[in-house]
Amino acid sequence: MMRTAAAAAEALNLPFDASAGRLSKAVLPDRYDLRLSLDPEHAAFAGKVRIALDSKIPARRLTLHALDLALTAVTVAGRRLDPSKVVVDAKAETVTLLLDAPLKGRAEVEIEYTGRMNELMRGLYKSRGRNGDKDEAWSFTHLEPTHARRVLPCFDEPSFKASFKLTLDVPAGLTPLSNMPPVSDTVLDGRRTVVFQETPKMSSYLLAVFAARLEARARKAGKTVLAVRAAPDQIAQADFALDAGVHALTYLNKYFAVPYMLPKLDMVAAPDFASGAMENWGAILYRDTSLLIDPGLSSDAAKRRVAEVVSHEIVHQWFGNLVTMAWWNDLWLNEAFATWLAFKIVDSWKPAWKVWDEFDQSKRSPLSIDALPGTRPVRSDAATPAEIQAMFDPMAYQKGGALLRMIERYVGEADFRRGIQAYMKRFAYKNAEASDLADALGKASGKPVRKMMDGWLAQGGVPVISVSAKRKTVTLTQSRFSAFNLKADTRWSIPVVVRYRLKGEKKARVVKTLLDAATKGVTLPGPGEIAWVYPNANETGYYRFQLDAPLLFAALSRRGELTPVERAGLLNNLWAQVRAGNLPVASFLDHLAAFRGDASRLIIEDAFGYLKTIRQDLSETDAEREALAAFAADFFGPLAKKLGWDKKKGESQETTLTRPTVWNALALLAPRSLDENEVTARLKKYLADPASLDSSLSPVVLTAAARRNDPKLFDSFRARLGAPRTPEQKSLMLRALAEFTEPALLGRYLAMTLSDEIRAQDAWTPYVWLLSNPDTRERSWAFVKANWKELSSKVGPRGATRVIGAAGGLVSEALKADVGAFFRAPENEIEMARKTLDQTLESIGLGLRFKRSQKSSFAEWSRP
């Protein structure tokens, strides 16, 4: 029988520090020989692992990670260990072996054990698939960041790289998959046993163990066999991801100048998966919505999403798998690089998509968080599994990606790439830190990259650059931007790129400078006076700006000379000042009105977002709602008439994606301007045959119809949620059902989130909409509180954290206090969501401040 950590400590006077979080480097793993026998139907597995070790010092005890595993036999260096010397510390998620003799040099540890599969989509988990017309149990792994210890006793930290030799025993009808190709495959007595090739040295969180009923479509990309594997009824939707994957592999083989290292790369669609995808080396696991595209039914937006996620995960095969961060404080090294480079890959494949516009939109999320007191540095300390899990946030992904784009602009694309190639070759199959990347880029470019990066990574927040001009000298002054107007003595080295035009010249010019002091003057080259200045050319920098009155007037007056992303950036910086209470919302609406007729997708999408926030937080009286509806009808109506409802032959994808935003804005903000007969006719067509309606317009028609609160339509949508023809249709039904606001229908939808009708991976999603809609948020919040134990158990810590984040839509003083008290109560707390809760409460506080500061301005603007 295994002893507890407390009992061992008492008997042997050994310290067990559950908060330490790190294993000793005195003993290193070299190789795992792992055999797993899976029983998905009964959610059980048995394992036997032989670990080849190298002990640098004589070790009297050996500590590994293990969680929720029952160890049945332990042998160290050929000696069977007494069960009393196997010490489990559940809090630290470790097992310590108290050795009979010191361990020195090369040795082997063999452990036999059993475990249970969970349904929370972490570790080795049970999933539900189909075998013909029957349900069937499948299993998958998701081990990042600290869940390999749920599958085998191991050194579950990224710096402990070792090779894995896996033997997998599964029910005969299932396909076993792992990181490497099989070397043998036998079927006997209803069981299928596959031995896989040994992996390269890699971190434990990259191990893949899958058993499901899958079919494959494959292509060659160079020397690599690239395959999409999906359920038989979904495999026809694999071709688009294969196209994207072949392009990404080809691009990256050249970009890194290090060819892809494994003989195969599988992209696997899982019916249940908590994340968008996971970059297991050679066996990437995807949520089905992130991989599968139906040529006749999937929207252009879905194609863009799949292309970006596929590219992101393939980037990880180098950045993350071949070269891995030494510890989770540098998670951004993995995620930021994959985020940024994925857009570069897709842009090279589909330049007409203008994906960099979406990249710039995506940085709005970290910009908003960085305006709060509770933001965090990109490179943050993390010790416990919950703290590590909390690192997977917009700061690691979108902010980190935006910083890389800014640094590439600063050092130059060619030097940046040379630095990356040197970094990749130096640290292949090893671990690296942020300073290693900075040094490689600095050496390649001859610029002080490390000094600049240190400031951006080590401190939270975002700078705002105040810009003024006298004659041809532009003065730049930096300070920390705060949505609450809090003062902070924070400085950055900011690579500023100014685009400007001088009077008398037709073309704009660009000047670069490094703003590494509080204030800096920049003399603009060229003859003539300043016509206009845009201080963040093409929005490639991660900073906010505030133009003084003359420069703002000039930029707004000559906005047609700005690029679409610059026009959107100009408005977004004004909106940030509105949210902070520094600019009256009435003035902002006057500025926004000047953009009427701008058909840029970015402007249309952003304008809809700003007006929707005003509707939710400021529009209270009938007069205010009428004034906002009239503004929306005037702003979006002419473009809606021009675009029409139907996609035109040969139109750009930008136009196709703009059309639904225009109609959706009218449907929500100015519903009387929408032809209800048009909605009814198109809804009827969709219900008869989804392929008959342009897929980009389906969300508009379905959500607009849902607001009628017809119980029969609710039942129709509910039935389609249970039998979607594509993964995107499932997401569409989840979204449309959230628009039924009638209390009884809302109650039915809320109850569905606890039932099997909505899978655990999706059950948190409705709350993103329900907790922000003024018509549903209070009832939905009451439901969350009444059912939190059941809901949080179903969606797991990751999904629960997302629900807590969605509570930021509960903008009222009473609800703010209620949210804080509820989620801080010990029985309701989610450990990994502590930072998220702080930011949620600050977001609610910002919303309240927005209401207080802008209420009178909006009321005055709304008067006839």
Side-chain angles (χ1 to χ4, degrees), residues 799-822:
T801 298
R802 288 167 172 161
V803 175
I804 292 171
L810 300 171
V811 183
S812 83
E813 291 285 2
L815 290 176
K816 179 185 176 185
D818 197 22
V819 168
F822 182 80

Side-chain angles (χ1 to χ4, degrees), residues 559-572:
R559 60 189 176 277
E561 298 182 42
L562 304 180
T563 65
V565 71
E566 289 172 343
R567 297 198 299 274
L570 181 62
L571 274 175
N572 187 253

Side-chain angles (χ1 to χ4, degrees), residues 208-261:
V209 179
F210 308 153
R213 192 174 296 273
L214 303 172
E215 293 184 1
R217 286 194 178 182
R219 294 190 197 155
K220 289 291 287 289
K223 296 181 179 180
T224 306
V225 178
L226 177 70
V228 169
R229 297 182 183 270
D233 62 342
Q234 292 182 314
I235 195 62
Q237 302 175 44
D239 288 340
F240 182 83
L242 280 172
D243 290 341
V246 167
H247 176 80
L249 266 177
T250 304
Y251 182 98
L252 292 168
N253 281 331
K254 295 178 180 178
Y255 185 87
F256 289 122
V258 175
Y260 177 72
M261 332 73 205

